[in-house]
Amino acid sequence: MGIRVQGWLAFGLSVFLGTLSWGAQAAEEGEADVASPPSVELKIANRSIFTFHGTLLGETPEARAKRADAVIEEMLEGTEDLDVTLDTIQDSYLVLLGDRRAFIVSPKDVDSADGSVREAAEEAAQRLRQVVAESQEARSLRFLLTAGGFTAVATLLYIALLRLFSWAHEKALSWLPKRMRKHTSALKIGQTQLVDTSNLFPIVRRLLALLYWSAVLLLTYEWLTFVLQRFPYTRPWGESLNQYLLELVRYLLDAIVSAIPGLVIALLIFFIARGFSAFSKRVLERLSRPGTISWLNHETLQPTTRLTSLAIWLFALAMAYPYLPGAGTEAFKGLSVLIGLMISLGASSVVGQAASGLILTYTRTLRPGEFVRVGEHEGTVTEVGMFTTSIRTGLGEVLTLPNSMITGSVTKNYSRVVQGAGYVVDTVVTIGYDTPWRQVEAMLKEAARRTPGILQTPSPQVFQTALSDFYPEYRLVAQAVPSEPRPRAELLTLLHANIQDVFNEYGVQIMSPHYLGDPAQEKWVPKERWFTAPAKPSDQEGAKQ
């Protein structure tokens, strides 16, 4: 019977304890569901001591910070020496200032990932000891006078260094031009100086100014840091400035060291691309020899080499891009997107012009030195570029034509079908039907013979290109190789002048008649006038007669 009663008592006690534990757990979960109060930082004499995160004994972090601030300020106003000690209370630590509690460091104030409660309490106590020491220094006249003396000496040294930097900067500005002129005058190819000091000196002057102001700013930064650290109240500011500079230098050094492997890989990729580019150039030079590839010759070799090299370097850039410093940053990505957008918006016409340039190059429609007519423009081709083609007219003009315009219009080439060097020259006259056509042809050939620069082999030819209502149309076609560098316009001027002279000599007027009514006499040529001078019957025509 007693054993049974004891069992029932044990069972009831276990149920009661389980209920209590469940209730405590529910209470903790309920407290966790309530929004936690904001954290509050405790700062004494411009120095951060500790940051309260949790509510303790019904006090919020704000109330705990105010209470700690009041206690510490009250204790610091006294004259006795204060010791900062730690005392444990369960799982928390009391930070004691003298014989009074300054504040409590509880587990709620410490993140388990940042360290233990004891470490946080020791760090807070160490900062508080530093505040106590600085408060004693602030009340020490000897310490303040010593700090003022160090500040005065540092200021005098700062001013002296500023003047030294200014003197060195002015001295360098007066000394560098002489040295630059002396050394750059020796860099010559023949009588041509490679480097112009008038263009180089402004760049060097700006670099010296940048170096000077960088040194001044760094010196000012260090002087301000040193002065602020001399006095207790401003010492945290000086320490933060010094710490920021050290962190910046450390960050730069870490960035440089971490970027070295990527730069090495990128340089290796570019080095391999350079080797492939040189190898492809030699291969294309061999393939451009006559009898190897029809479309690759000395005219298309240069653009083909450039395109191949461009493709290799673009591929190398795409391969090396991930290894470049800052390639993964948002700024670099944004810049890449911006450049891509700009290219996509403005590259349609550029790509079209480039494609037209490639068409002109590989179809060999135009060649430098040839005389062509594109639309209403004619002249000698001086350059066939990727985007434009330059044509020099005989009127003192140089025309720059877009390649898309050339591929979209009819191009007349006067130099392609000639025998040997030179180009084709032609002109058109219209003479009435009352003038024998044989006489007109003979006079046009005579004018071509008198014009210097027009070849007689192959002989000039006259074509009757139209029989209009009022007159026939005669076109004189000849091959010209000027004996001196003479534009086609000058040659045409001489040819037209000789045509007028010849027609005047034989009494034939150059006119395109138009009739408002039937003429009194029919406009025709009788047979006896068919061979009027200077026309001569050919052997075939003489046999027919």
Side-chain angles (χ1 to χ4, degrees):
M1 184 68 178
I3 296 175
R4 185 176 299 178
V5 172
Q6 290 178 359
W8 280 105
L9 288 175
F11 175 76
L13 182 60
S14 62
V15 172
F16 176 73
L17 293 176
T19 305
L20 289 178
S21 63
W22 177 83
Q25 183 178 0
E28 291 179 358
E29 292 178 356
E31 291 178 358
D33 293 337
V34 179
S36 59
S39 303
V40 178
E41 183 183 13
L42 174 62
K43 295 187 70 175
I44 304 296
N46 203 27
R47 186 176 293 278
S48 177
I49 304 298
F50 189 70
T51 301
F52 299 101
H53 296 284
T55 301
L56 184 65
L57 301 177
E59 289 186 345
T60 61
E62 182 178 1
R64 295 172 62 191
K66 288 182 178 179
R67 183 185 179 284
D69 182 81
V71 172
I72 296 173
E73 291 290 348
E74 181 182 353
M75 296 296 294
L76 291 177
E77 290 177 358
T79 58
E80 66 276 6
D81 294 336
L82 301 176
D83 294 331
V84 179
T85 57
L86 291 178
D87 193 6
T88 59
I89 175 173
Q90 294 183 354
D91 54 354
S92 301
Y93 287 87
L94 293 176
V95 179
L96 302 176
L97 182 58
D99 56 354
R100 296 188 58 181
R101 173 171 62 89
F103 53 88
I104 301 175
V105 179
S106 69
K108 296 181 180 180
D109 298 321
V110 180
D111 189 359
S112 59
D114 296 336
S116 64
V117 181
R118 181 176 180 80
E119 292 177 356
E122 289 178 351
E123 292 178 1
Q126 182 61 32
R127 297 192 189 101
L128 186 56
R129 292 189 189 98
Q130 190 172 1
V131 169
V132 172
E134 290 174 349
S135 66
Q136 294 175 355
E137 292 175 352
R139 290 195 294 267
S140 174
L141 180 60
R142 180 179 178 180
F143 178 84
L144 293 178
L145 291 176
T146 303
F150 280 115
T151 301
V153 172
T155 303
L156 292 176
L157 182 61
Y158 168 71
I159 296 174
L161 289 177
L162 285 181
R163 292 187 176 181
L164 178 62
F165 288 168
S166 178
W167 175 83
H169 180 244
E170 294 176 358
K171 197 71 175 178
L173 288 178
S174 61
W175 174 76
L176 270 178
K178 300 178 182 178
R179 302 296 297 178
M180 290 171 58
R181 283 192 292 268
K182 179 180 179 181
H183 290 285
T184 55
S185 60
L187 299 176
K188 292 182 178 180
I189 296 180
Q191 298 298 325
T192 303
Q193 187 172 339
L194 294 179
V195 181
D196 188 3
T197 55
S198 61
N199 297 328
L200 184 61
F201 181 70
I203 300 175
V204 176
R205 184 176 57 187
R206 289 186 176 89
L207 291 176
L208 285 177
L210 178 62
L211 181 62
Y212 168 73
W213 285 111
S214 299
V216 168
L217 291 177
L218 181 60
L219 180 63
T220 304
Y221 191 94
E222 289 297 329
W223 170 81
L224 182 61
T225 301
F226 179 82
V227 170
L228 291 177
Q229 288 181 339
R230 296 309 98 197
F231 300 94
Y233 186 79
T234 59
R235 188 172 297 162
W237 296 343
E239 292 174 353
S240 62
L241 288 177
N242 198 20
Q243 184 66 23
Y244 174 76
L245 183 60
L246 293 176
E247 291 179 356
L248 179 61
V249 173
R250 187 183 299 111
Y251 172 77
L252 293 176
L253 293 177
D254 292 342
I256 293 173
V257 172
S258 61
I260 289 176
L263 287 176
V264 171
I265 296 176
L267 290 176
L268 182 60
I269 293 175
F270 290 144
F271 180 77
I272 295 174
R274 184 173 179 271
F276 271 105
S277 179
F279 176 74
S280 64
K281 181 179 179 181
R282 290 192 294 269
V283 171
L284 291 175
E285 288 177 352
R286 292 182 180 179
L287 294 178
S288 64
R289 296 173 182 174
T292 306
I293 299 179
S294 60
W295 58 267
L296 187 60
N297 50 35
H298 69 281
E299 296 178 359
T300 59
L301 175 61
Q302 185 176 5
T304 305
T305 303
R306 290 180 178 177
L307 289 175
T308 305
S309 179
L310 178 62
I312 292 174
W313 282 107
L314 287 178
F315 180 76
L317 181 60
M319 293 293 294
Y321 174 81
Y323 301 101
L324 296 177
T329 60
E330 296 298 329
F332 208 105
K333 294 178 181 178
L335 182 62
S336 302
V337 172
L338 178 61
I339 294 176
L341 181 61
M342 293 172 61
I343 293 176
S344 62
L345 291 178
S348 56
S349 60
V350 175
V351 173
Q353 297 292 348
S356 301
L358 293 177
I359 292 174
L360 293 178
T361 300
Y362 286 99
T363 58
R364 286 171 283 179
T365 304
L366 304 176
R367 296 174 183 173
E370 293 181 340
F371 193 91
V372 298
R373 181 178 181 86
V374 181
E376 299 179 354
H377 311 287
E378 65 177 19
T380 303
V381 179
T382 58
E383 182 183 1
V384 180
M386 181 65 69
F387 303 102
T388 59
T389 297
S390 298
I391 295 178
R392 186 182 67 249
T393 66
L395 304 177
E397 302 171 337
V398 176
L399 305 179
T400 302
L401 305 180
N403 288 334
S404 59
M405 171 187 173
I406 300 176
T407 56
S409 60
V410 177
T411 301
K412 294 182 179 180
N413 196 321
Y414 294 96
S415 303
R416 188 62 59 84
V417 297
V418 298
Q419 298 179 8
Y423 54 84
V424 173
V425 61
D426 63 339
T427 188
V428 176
V429 294
T430 53
I431 309 298
Y433 283 104
D434 54 347
T435 303
W437 63 267
R438 297 176 179 84
Q439 184 184 18
V440 175
E441 287 188 5
M443 288 188 294
L444 290 176
K445 291 180 179 179
E446 176 65 20
R449 186 186 63 80
R450 294 182 183 182
T451 303
I454 293 182
L455 299 180
Q456 300 304 312
T457 303
S459 60
Q461 292 181 317
V462 178
F463 299 93
Q464 299 184 39
T465 57
L467 296 177
S468 303
D469 292 338
F470 306 117
Y471 47 77
E473 182 179 280
Y474 302 91
R475 181 182 293 272
L476 172 64
V477 181
Q479 181 175 338
V481 179
S483 58
E484 58 185 13
R486 177 182 299 155
R488 188 172 185 268
E490 294 183 9
L491 187 65
L492 283 175
T493 298
L494 294 176
L495 179 60
H496 291 163
N498 288 327
I499 290 175
Q500 295 182 66
D501 292 341
V502 171
F503 274 64
N504 288 331
E505 289 176 7
Y506 290 99
V508 178
Q509 64 178 3
I510 302 177
M511 181 177 291
S512 303
H514 290 261
Y515 302 106
L516 299 178
D518 291 334
Q521 184 178 1
E522 295 182 354
K523 299 297 180 182
W524 62 284
V525 179
K527 190 172 183 179
E528 59 271 12
R529 291 178 52 204
W530 283 7
F531 299 99
T532 304
K536 298 178 180 180
S538 61
D539 295 339
Q540 184 178 0
E541 290 178 339
K544 290 181 180 179
Q545 291 182 352

Coordinates of all heavy atoms in Angstrom, one line a residue, residues 128-184:
L128 N 36.1 51.5 -19.9 CA 35.8 52.3 -18.8 C 37.0 52.8 -18.0 O 37.1 53.9 -17.5 CB 34.8 51.6 -17.9 CG 34.2 52.4 -16.7 CD1 33.5 53.7 -17.2 CD2 33.3 51.6 -15.9
R129 N 38.0 51.9 -17.9 CA 39.3 52.3 -17.3 C 39.9 53.4 -18.0 O 40.5 54.3 -17.5 CB 40.2 51.0 -17.2 CG 39.7 49.9 -16.2 CD 40.8 48.9 -16.0 NE 40.3 47.7 -15.3 CZ 39.9 46.6 -15.9 NH1 39.9 46.5 -17.2 NH2 39.4 45.6 -15.1
Q130 N 39.9 53.3 -19.4 CA 40.5 54.3 -20.2 C 39.8 55.6 -20.0 O 40.4 56.7 -20.0 CB 40.4 53.9 -21.7 CG 41.2 54.8 -22.6 CD 41.3 54.2 -24.0 OE1 40.7 53.2 -24.3 NE2 42.0 54.9 -24.9
V131 N 38.4 55.6 -19.9 CA 37.7 56.8 -19.6 C 38.1 57.4 -18.3 O 38.2 58.7 -18.1 CB 36.2 56.6 -19.7 CG1 35.4 57.8 -19.2 CG2 35.8 56.2 -21.1
V132 N 38.2 56.6 -17.3 CA 38.7 57.1 -15.9 C 40.0 57.7 -16.0 O 40.3 58.8 -15.5 CB 38.6 55.9 -14.9 CG1 39.3 56.4 -13.6 CG2 37.2 55.4 -14.7
A133 N 41.0 57.1 -16.7 CA 42.3 57.6 -16.9 C 42.3 59.0 -17.6 O 43.0 59.9 -17.3 CB 43.2 56.6 -17.6
E134 N 41.5 59.0 -18.7 CA 41.4 60.3 -19.5 C 40.7 61.4 -18.7 O 41.1 62.6 -18.8 CB 40.6 60.0 -20.8 CG 41.4 59.2 -21.8 CD 40.6 58.8 -23.0 OE1 39.4 59.0 -23.0 OE2 41.2 58.3 -23.9
S135 N 39.8 61.1 -17.8 CA 39.1 62.1 -17.0 C 40.1 62.7 -16.0 O 40.1 63.9 -15.7 CB 37.9 61.5 -16.3 OG 38.3 60.5 -15.3
Q136 N 41.0 61.8 -15.5 CA 42.1 62.3 -14.6 C 43.1 63.2 -15.4 O 43.5 64.2 -14.9 CB 42.8 61.2 -13.9 CG 41.9 60.4 -13.0 CD 42.6 59.1 -12.4 OE1 43.7 58.8 -12.8 NE2 41.9 58.4 -11.5
E137 N 43.4 62.8 -16.6 CA 44.3 63.6 -17.4 C 43.7 65.0 -17.8 O 44.4 66.0 -17.8 CB 44.6 62.9 -18.7 CG 45.5 61.6 -18.5 CD 45.7 60.9 -19.8 OE1 45.0 61.2 -20.8 OE2 46.5 59.9 -19.8
A138 N 42.3 65.0 -18.0 CA 41.7 66.2 -18.3 C 41.7 67.2 -17.2 O 41.6 68.4 -17.4 CB 40.2 66.0 -18.8
R139 N 41.8 66.7 -15.9 CA 41.9 67.6 -14.8 C 43.3 67.9 -14.4 O 43.5 68.7 -13.4 CB 41.1 66.9 -13.6 CG 39.6 66.8 -13.8 CD 38.9 66.5 -12.5 NE 39.3 65.2 -12.0 CZ 38.6 64.1 -12.2 NH1 37.5 64.2 -13.0 NH2 39.0 62.9 -11.8
S140 N 44.3 67.4 -15.1 CA 45.7 67.6 -14.8 C 46.2 68.8 -15.6 O 46.3 68.7 -16.8 CB 46.5 66.4 -15.0 OG 47.9 66.6 -14.8
L141 N 46.6 69.9 -14.9 CA 47.1 71.1 -15.6 C 48.4 70.7 -16.3 O 48.7 71.2 -17.4 CB 47.3 72.2 -14.6 CG 47.9 73.5 -15.2 CD1 46.9 74.0 -16.3 CD2 48.0 74.6 -14.1
R142 N 49.3 69.9 -15.7 CA 50.5 69.6 -16.2 C 50.4 68.8 -17.5 O 51.1 69.0 -18.5 CB 51.3 68.7 -15.2 CG 52.7 68.3 -15.7 CD 53.4 67.5 -14.6 NE 54.7 67.0 -15.1 CZ 55.6 66.3 -14.4 NH1 55.2 66.0 -13.2 NH2 56.7 65.9 -14.9
F143 N 49.4 67.9 -17.5 CA 49.2 67.1 -18.7 C 48.7 68.0 -19.9 O 49.1 67.8 -21.0 CB 48.1 66.0 -18.4 CG 47.8 65.1 -19.6 CD1 48.6 64.1 -20.0 CD2 46.7 65.4 -20.4 CE1 48.3 63.3 -21.1 CE2 46.4 64.6 -21.5 CZ 47.2 63.6 -21.8
L144 N 47.8 68.9 -19.5 CA 47.2 69.8 -20.6 C 48.3 70.7 -21.2 O 48.4 70.9 -22.4 CB 46.1 70.6 -20.0 CG 44.8 69.8 -19.7 CD1 43.8 70.7 -19.1 CD2 44.3 69.0 -20.9
L145 N 49.2 71.2 -20.3 CA 50.3 72.0 -20.8 C 51.3 71.2 -21.7 O 51.7 71.7 -22.7 CB 51.1 72.6 -19.6 CG 50.3 73.7 -18.8 CD1 51.1 74.1 -17.6 CD2 49.9 74.9 -19.7
T146 N 51.5 70.0 -21.2 CA 52.4 69.1 -22.0 C 51.7 68.8 -23.4 O 52.4 68.9 -24.4 CB 52.6 67.8 -21.3 OG1 53.2 68.1 -20.0 CG2 53.6 66.9 -22.1
A147 N 50.4 68.5 -23.4 CA 49.7 68.3 -24.7 C 49.7 69.5 -25.6 O 49.9 69.4 -26.8 CB 48.3 67.8 -24.4
G148 N 49.6 70.7 -24.9 CA 49.6 71.9 -25.7 C 51.0 72.1 -26.3 O 51.1 72.6 -27.4
G149 N 52.1 71.8 -25.5 CA 53.4 71.9 -26.1 C 53.7 71.0 -27.3 O 54.2 71.4 -28.3
F150 N 53.2 69.8 -27.1 CA 53.4 68.9 -28.3 C 52.6 69.4 -29.5 O 53.0 69.2 -30.6 CB 52.9 67.5 -27.9 CG 53.9 66.7 -27.1 CD1 53.7 66.3 -25.8 CD2 55.1 66.3 -27.7 CE1 54.6 65.6 -25.1 CE2 56.1 65.6 -27.0 CZ 55.8 65.2 -25.7
T151 N 51.4 69.9 -29.2 CA 50.6 70.4 -30.3 C 51.3 71.6 -31.0 O 51.3 71.7 -32.3 CB 49.2 70.9 -29.8 OG1 48.6 69.7 -29.2 CG2 48.4 71.4 -30.9
A152 N 51.9 72.5 -30.2 CA 52.6 73.6 -30.8 C 53.8 73.2 -31.6 O 54.0 73.7 -32.8 CB 53.0 74.6 -29.7
V153 N 54.6 72.2 -31.1 CA 55.7 71.7 -31.8 C 55.2 71.1 -33.1 O 55.8 71.2 -34.2 CB 56.5 70.8 -31.0 CG1 57.6 70.1 -31.8 CG2 57.1 71.5 -29.8
A154 N 54.2 70.2 -33.0 CA 53.7 69.6 -34.2 C 53.2 70.6 -35.3 O 53.3 70.4 -36.5 CB 52.6 68.6 -33.9
T155 N 52.5 71.7 -34.8 CA 52.0 72.7 -35.7 C 53.2 73.4 -36.4 O 53.1 73.6 -37.6 CB 51.2 73.7 -35.0 OG1 50.1 73.0 -34.3 CG2 50.6 74.7 -35.9
L156 N 54.2 73.7 -35.7 CA 55.4 74.4 -36.3 C 56.0 73.5 -37.3 O 56.4 73.9 -38.4 CB 56.4 74.8 -35.2 CG 56.0 75.9 -34.2 CD1 57.0 76.1 -33.2 CD2 55.7 77.2 -35.0
L157 N 56.2 72.2 -36.9 CA 56.8 71.2 -37.9 C 55.9 71.1 -39.1 O 56.4 71.0 -40.2 CB 56.9 69.9 -37.2 CG 57.6 68.8 -38.0 CD1 59.0 69.2 -38.5 CD2 57.6 67.5 -37.2
Y158 N 54.5 71.1 -38.9 CA 53.6 71.0 -40.0 C 53.7 72.2 -41.0 O 53.8 72.0 -42.2 CB 52.2 70.9 -39.4 CG 51.1 71.1 -40.4 CD1 50.8 70.2 -41.4 CD2 50.3 72.3 -40.4 CE1 49.8 70.3 -42.3 CE2 49.3 72.5 -41.3 CZ 49.0 71.5 -42.3 OH 48.0 71.7 -43.2
I159 N 53.8 73.4 -40.4 CA 54.0 74.6 -41.3 C 55.3 74.5 -42.0 O 55.4 74.9 -43.2 CB 53.9 75.9 -40.4 CG1 52.5 76.0 -39.8 CG2 54.2 77.1 -41.2 CD1 52.3 77.1 -38.8
A160 N 56.4 74.1 -41.3 CA 57.7 74.0 -41.9 C 57.7 73.0 -43.1 O 58.2 73.3 -44.2 CB 58.8 73.6 -40.9
L161 N 57.0 71.9 -42.9 CA 56.9 70.9 -44.0 C 56.1 71.4 -45.1 O 56.4 71.1 -46.3 CB 56.4 69.6 -43.4 CG 57.3 68.8 -42.5 CD1 56.6 67.6 -41.9 CD2 58.6 68.4 -43.2
L162 N 55.1 72.2 -44.8 CA 54.3 72.7 -45.9 C 55.1 73.7 -46.8 O 55.0 73.7 -48.0 CB 53.1 73.5 -45.3 CG 51.9 72.6 -44.8 CD1 50.8 73.5 -44.3 CD2 51.3 71.7 -45.9
R163 N 55.9 74.5 -46.1 CA 56.8 75.4 -46.8 C 57.8 74.6 -47.6 O 58.2 75.0 -48.7 CB 57.4 76.4 -45.9 CG 56.4 77.4 -45.3 CD 57.1 78.5 -44.5 NE 56.2 79.5 -44.0 CZ 56.5 80.5 -43.2 NH1 57.8 80.7 -42.9 NH2 55.6 81.4 -42.8
L164 N 58.3 73.6 -47.0 CA 59.3 72.7 -47.7 C 58.7 72.1 -49.0 O 59.3 72.1 -50.1 CB 59.8 71.7 -46.8 CG 60.9 70.7 -47.4 CD1 62.1 71.4 -47.9 CD2 61.2 69.6 -46.4
F165 N 57.5 71.6 -48.9 CA 56.8 71.0 -50.0 C 56.6 72.1 -51.1 O 56.7 71.8 -52.3 CB 55.5 70.4 -49.6 CG 55.6 69.1 -48.8 CD1 54.5 68.6 -48.1 CD2 56.8 68.5 -48.7 CE1 54.6 67.4 -47.4 CE2 57.0 67.3 -48.0 CZ 55.9 66.8 -47.3
S166 N 56.1 73.3 -50.7 CA 55.9 74.3 -51.6 C 57.2 74.7 -52.4 O 57.2 74.9 -53.6 CB 55.3 75.5 -50.9 OG 55.1 76.6 -51.8
W167 N 58.3 74.8 -51.6 CA 59.6 75.2 -52.2 C 60.0 74.1 -53.2 O 60.5 74.4 -54.3 CB 60.6 75.3 -51.1 CG 62.0 75.6 -51.6 CD1 62.6 76.7 -52.0 CD2 63.0 74.6 -51.8 NE1 63.8 76.5 -52.5 CE2 64.2 75.2 -52.3 CE3 63.1 73.2 -51.5 CZ2 65.3 74.5 -52.6 CZ3 64.3 72.5 -51.8 CH2 65.4 73.2 -52.4
A168 N 59.9 72.8 -52.8 CA 60.2 71.7 -53.7 C 59.4 71.7 -54.9 O 59.9 71.4 -56.0 CB 60.1 70.4 -52.9
H169 N 58.1 72.0 -54.8 CA 57.2 72.0 -56.0 C 57.6 73.1 -56.9 O 57.7 72.9 -58.1 CB 55.8 72.3 -55.5 CG 54.8 72.3 -56.6 ND1 54.1 73.4 -56.9 CD2 54.4 71.4 -57.5 CE1 53.3 73.2 -57.9 NE2 53.5 71.9 -58.3
E170 N 57.9 74.3 -56.4 CA 58.4 75.4 -57.3 C 59.7 75.1 -57.9 O 60.0 75.4 -59.1 CB 58.4 76.7 -56.5 CG 57.0 77.2 -56.0 CD 57.1 78.5 -55.2 OE1 58.3 78.9 -54.9 OE2 56.1 79.0 -54.7
K171 N 60.6 74.5 -57.1 CA 61.9 74.2 -57.6 C 61.8 73.2 -58.8 O 62.5 73.3 -59.8 CB 62.8 73.6 -56.5 CG 64.3 73.6 -56.8 CD 64.9 75.0 -56.8 CE 66.4 74.9 -57.0 NZ 67.0 76.3 -57.0
A172 N 60.9 72.2 -58.6 CA 60.7 71.2 -59.6 C 60.2 71.8 -60.9 O 60.5 71.4 -62.0 CB 59.8 70.0 -59.1
L173 N 59.2 72.7 -60.7 CA 58.6 73.4 -61.9 C 59.7 74.2 -62.7 O 59.5 74.3 -63.9 CB 57.5 74.3 -61.5 CG 56.2 73.6 -61.0 CD1 55.1 74.6 -60.6 CD2 55.6 72.7 -62.1
S174 N 60.6 74.8 -62.0 CA 61.7 75.6 -62.7 C 62.8 74.7 -63.2 O 63.5 75.1 -64.1 CB 62.2 76.6 -61.7 OG 62.8 76.0 -60.6
W175 N 63.0 73.5 -62.6 CA 64.1 72.7 -63.0 C 63.8 71.7 -64.1 O 64.6 71.4 -65.0 CB 64.6 71.9 -61.7 CG 65.7 70.9 -62.0 CD1 67.0 71.1 -62.3 CD2 65.5 69.5 -62.1 NE1 67.7 69.9 -62.5 CE2 66.8 68.9 -62.3 CE3 64.4 68.6 -61.9 CZ2 67.0 67.5 -62.4 CZ3 64.6 67.3 -62.0 CH2 65.9 66.7 -62.3
L176 N 62.5 71.2 -64.1 CA 62.1 70.2 -65.0 C 62.1 70.6 -66.5 O 62.6 69.9 -67.3 CB 60.7 69.7 -64.6 CG 60.6 68.5 -63.7 CD1 59.2 68.1 -63.4 CD2 61.4 67.3 -64.3
P177 N 61.7 71.8 -66.8 CA 61.7 72.2 -68.3 C 63.1 72.1 -68.8 O 63.3 71.7 -70.0 CB 61.1 73.6 -68.3 CG 60.3 73.7 -67.0 CD 61.0 72.8 -66.0
K178 N 64.1 72.6 -68.1 CA 65.5 72.5 -68.6 C 65.9 71.1 -68.9 O 66.5 70.8 -69.9 CB 66.4 73.2 -67.6 CG 66.1 74.7 -67.4 CD 67.0 75.3 -66.4 CE 66.7 76.7 -66.1 NZ 67.6 77.3 -65.0
R179 N 65.7 70.2 -67.9 CA 66.0 68.8 -68.0 C 65.3 68.1 -69.2 O 65.8 67.3 -69.9 CB 65.8 68.1 -66.7 CG 66.5 68.7 -65.5 CD 68.0 68.5 -65.7 NE 68.5 67.1 -65.8 CZ 69.7 66.8 -65.9 NH1 70.7 67.7 -66.1 NH2 70.0 65.5 -66.0
M180 N 64.0 68.5 -69.3 CA 63.1 67.9 -70.3 C 63.7 68.3 -71.7 O 63.7 67.5 -72.6 CB 61.7 68.3 -70.2 CG 61.0 67.6 -68.9 SD 59.4 68.3 -68.6 CE 58.6 68.0 -70.2
R181 N 64.0 69.6 -71.9 CA 64.5 70.1 -73.2 C 65.8 69.4 -73.5 O 66.1 69.1 -74.7 CB 64.6 71.6 -73.2 CG 63.3 72.3 -73.3 CD 63.5 73.8 -73.6 NE 64.0 74.5 -72.4 CZ 63.3 75.1 -71.5 NH1 62.0 75.1 -71.6 NH2 63.8 75.7 -70.5
K182 N 66.6 69.2 -72.5 CA 67.9 68.6 -72.7 C 67.8 67.2 -73.2 O 68.5 66.8 -74.1 CB 68.8 68.7 -71.4 CG 70.1 68.1 -71.5 CD 70.9 68.2 -70.2 CE 72.3 67.6 -70.3 NZ 73.1 67.7 -69.1
H183 N 66.9 66.4 -72.5 CA 66.8 65.0 -72.8 C 66.0 64.8 -74.1 O 66.3 63.9 -74.9 CB 66.3 64.2 -71.7 CG 67.2 64.2 -70.5 ND1 68.3 63.3 -70.5 CD2 67.2 64.8 -69.3 CE1 69.0 63.4 -69.3 NE2 68.4 64.4 -68.6
T184 N 64.9 65.5 -74.3 CA 64.1 65.3 -75.4 C 64.7 65.8 -76.7 O 64.4 65.3 -77.8 CB 62.7 66.0 -75.2 OG1 63.0 67.5 -75.0 CG2 61.9 65.4 -74.1

